[in-house]
Amino acid sequence: MITDLKEIENSALNLDRKNKARLADKLLQSIHGEIDPEVEQAWIDEVQKRKESLNSGEASLHSATDVLKEARKRIQK
């Protein structure tokens, strides 16, 4: 059994992405408790809505660099 925190950390970092995500989810649940199913569904719905908006061309993505540059320009006016 692994008991040393460094060993646990090293083992976790060697997991594939899917298992790292599963472990991270379990650890966060152990800290914050279970996710409210209604809140989780609301986020799923929001993500789907945004995805459809992007796919339809109604919305577009912009790089953080461009957004910050535009924000700074507007603030300076």
Side-chain angles (χ1 to χ4, degrees), residues 22-68:
R22 289 181 65 215
L23 177 58
D25 185 48
K26 292 260 186 205
L27 289 170
L28 289 171
Q29 283 182 23
S30 75
I31 294 169
H32 300 293
E34 291 292 320
I35 297 171
D36 181 335
E38 290 181 24
V39 171
E40 184 174 27
Q41 187 59 52
W43 274 113
I44 291 169
D45 294 345
E46 180 64 23
V47 168
Q48 187 62 35
K49 185 175 102 183
R50 291 180 186 196
K51 181 180 171 186
E52 290 169 4
S53 181
L54 284 168
N55 289 339
S56 73
E58 181 183 340
S60 59
L61 297 176
H62 302 277
S63 72
T65 303
D66 290 344
V67 170
L68 291 172

